[in-house]
């Protein structure tokens, strides 16, 4: 054992949470796709076959850099070019990641000790979409104008595909009426 698993799991789950990537996209990231110095990810193996580039927040860049620094001495010549590696230096599998997520969900109390259902990894994409909207609504940004950006970040071909990821969370339900009230006031002032 190389001790790589905890670092890899934390990096993967964090990456999914802050980018909204699909699990398969994260698992297919090669070392050349993760450009820490430039602060970007190139996502090549997408659901719709389109490559997209995603900017990285400095905190995400730092975590990816730390993960690579921890991984590289353990696997200086891995049998794969994938960025995220298993203990054996091989690519992570969807099954292994999902099993780990279920185990962590039980340990953290997100699932009951004997629960067969609970949160899913895919919910991180939904959370990313809602958090992005909140980030835009709070300072009063034009969310409708920015929706294509969110769609592109999620790798969707159409904005309508992104709407399925938006859940009516309490925070979002508080922000939307405020934004609508501001729009109505601006329209009234224009009359």
């Amino acid at each position: 054992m190389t001790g790589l698993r905890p670092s890899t799991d934390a990096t993967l789950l964090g990456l999914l949470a802050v980018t909204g990537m699909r699990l398969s996209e994260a698992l297919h990231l090669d070392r050349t796709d993760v450009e820490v110095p430039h602060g970007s990810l190139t996502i090549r193996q997408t659901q719709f076959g389109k490559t997209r580039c995603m900017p990285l927040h400095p905190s995400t860049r730092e975590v990816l850099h730390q993960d690579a620094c921890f991984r590289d001495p353990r696997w200086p010549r891995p049998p794969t070019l994938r960025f995220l590696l298993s203990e054996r230096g091989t690519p992570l599998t969807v099954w292994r990641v999902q099993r780990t997520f279920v185990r962590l969900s039980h340990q953290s109390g997100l699932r009951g000790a004997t629960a067969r259902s609970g949160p899913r990894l895919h919910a991180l994409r939904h959370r990313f979409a809602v958090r992005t909207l909140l980030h835009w609504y709070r300072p009063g940004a034009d969310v409708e104008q920015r929706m294509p950006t969110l769609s592109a970040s999620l790798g969707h071909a159409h904005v309508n595909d992104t709407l399925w990821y938006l859940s009516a969370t309490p925070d979002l339900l508080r922000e939307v009426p405020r934004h609508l009230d501001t729009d109505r006031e601006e329209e009234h002032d224009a009359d």
Side-chain angles (χ1 to χ4, degrees), residues 32-42 53-58 61:
T32 58
D33 297 331
V34 181
E35 298 180 42
V36 173
H38 295 95
S40 66
L41 290 177
T42 302
C53 188
M54 182 175 291
L56 296 172
H57 187 273
R61 290 168 59 183

Side-chain angles (χ1 to χ4, degrees), residues 57-124:
H57 187 273
S59 62
T60 305
R61 290 168 59 183
E62 180 60 28
V63 170
L64 292 172
H65 175 71
Q66 288 174 3
D67 188 68
C69 288
F70 187 73
R71 175 203 64 212
D72 291 348
R74 286 154 180 80
W75 289 105
R77 292 190 191 119
T80 180
L81 292 177
R82 296 283 161 80
F83 186 82
L84 298 164
L85 300 177
S86 72
E87 288 280 340
R88 296 178 307 210
T90 58
L92 298 176
T93 64
V94 171
W95 178 84
R96 183 260 196 215
V97 172
Q98 288 175 334
R99 191 179 85 205
T100 298
F101 184 74
V102 168
R103 182 178 49 80
L104 292 172
S105 295
H106 283 295
Q107 289 174 353
S108 65
L110 289 174
R111 293 175 192 246
T114 59
R116 295 183 147 233
S117 63
R120 301 173 339 165
L121 273 168
H122 200 68
L124 293 173

Side-chain angles (χ1 to χ4, degrees), residues 22-36:
R22 295 174 184 92
L23 175 59
S24 61
E25 293 170 343
L27 296 181
H28 285 100
L29 288 172
D30 283 343
R31 290 177 183 215
T32 58
D33 297 331
V34 181
E35 298 180 42
V36 173

